[in-house]
Amino acid sequence: LEVDYDCKTGECDATGEVTIQDKALKTLSGGDTLMLRKSTAMLKVEKNELKSVSGIVNLALRDGKTKKDYLAFKTEGEFDCIDTTSFTGDVSVTILQEKKLAGNDANFALYMTPAGESGIKTHIEDNQVTEMTGEIGFKTVYKGKPYFGGSVNGSYTAEEGAVTGDAKIELLSDIEL
């Protein structure tokens, strides 16, 4: 980190690369935790104010019960902290393990699961999602047994305003209704 400090004015300017270590950022409702994972970023400070953060920052969502990461986020771009407080760049989301999204296993539950490339790539311009592509796996549980599962693979552009793609669904077990 390169620092320039003016003793007369008390102002500091700094630029340089910083290594960020693993850190819990916020506990979410339901007990899951947003984690900052080891990353390297460039910081720019002008007149004692953080101007921008750029580079690659890794985040994860950690399950509150299992204490394992189930989603990983890799952000690459620049966050403007002063002028617009906006982010421009790319975010990759990877599904690391299955995670219950809704319901309970005794009746009906929906899970997100890894599938194929199992992730989403997103491009963001000034805090607006402009494009998304990827695949998300899912499964359902009915009366304690896996019922059906599959994946959705598609893309979205803000210009078109619609999602296009395909889905695969398969029966996971014989269940009497």
Side-chain angles (χ1 to χ4, degrees), residues 116-117 119 133-138 150-155 163-168:
E117 292 298 313
T133 60
E135 182 175 17
I136 299 174
F138 66 91
S151 64
V152 177
N153 188 353
S155 62
V163 175
T164 58
D166 56 35
K168 296 180 218 169

Side-chain angles (χ1 to χ4, degrees), residues 10 12 37 42 56 58 60 62 68 84 93 110 112 116 119 129 160 163 170 172 176:
C12 177
R37 293 298 183 207
M42 295 294 292
I56 297 173
N58 298 305
R62 184 176 66 190
K68 293 182 181 178
T84 61
V93 181
L110 175 64
M112 168 182 62
V129 173
E160 293 176 15
V163 175
E170 64 180 310
L172 299 175
E176 291 184 28

Side-chain angles (χ1 to χ4, degrees), residues 111-144:
Y111 287 78
M112 168 182 62
T113 63
E117 292 298 313
S118 187
I120 299 172
K121 294 185 184 342
T122 305
H123 183 72
I124 300 169
E125 288 283 337
D126 294 326
N127 292 343
Q128 300 298 312
V129 173
T130 59
E131 185 178 351
M132 293 175 69
T133 60
E135 182 175 17
I136 299 174
F138 66 91
K139 80 171 186 180
T140 61
V141 172
Y142 179 71
K143 294 188 177 180

Side-chain angles (χ1 to χ4, degrees), residues 25-35 60-62 64 70 73:
L25 295 176
K26 181 170 181 64
T27 300
L28 309 173
S29 62
D32 293 353
T33 305
L34 178 62
M35 301 294 296
L61 279 176
R62 184 176 66 190
Y70 62 92
F73 304 87

Side-chain angles (χ1 to χ4, degrees), residues 52-94:
S52 66
V53 178
S54 61
I56 297 173
V57 176
N58 298 305
L59 301 165
L61 279 176
R62 184 176 66 190
D63 187 285
K65 293 178 182 148
T66 66
K67 304 298 183 205
K68 293 182 181 178
D69 293 351
Y70 62 92
L71 283 178
F73 304 87
K74 178 182 177 182
T75 64
E76 187 169 359
E78 182 171 3
F79 181 72
D80 183 335
C81 304
I82 301 287
D83 298 329
T84 61
T85 62
S86 72
F87 173 77
T88 296
D90 297 308
V91 179
S92 298
V93 181
T94 304

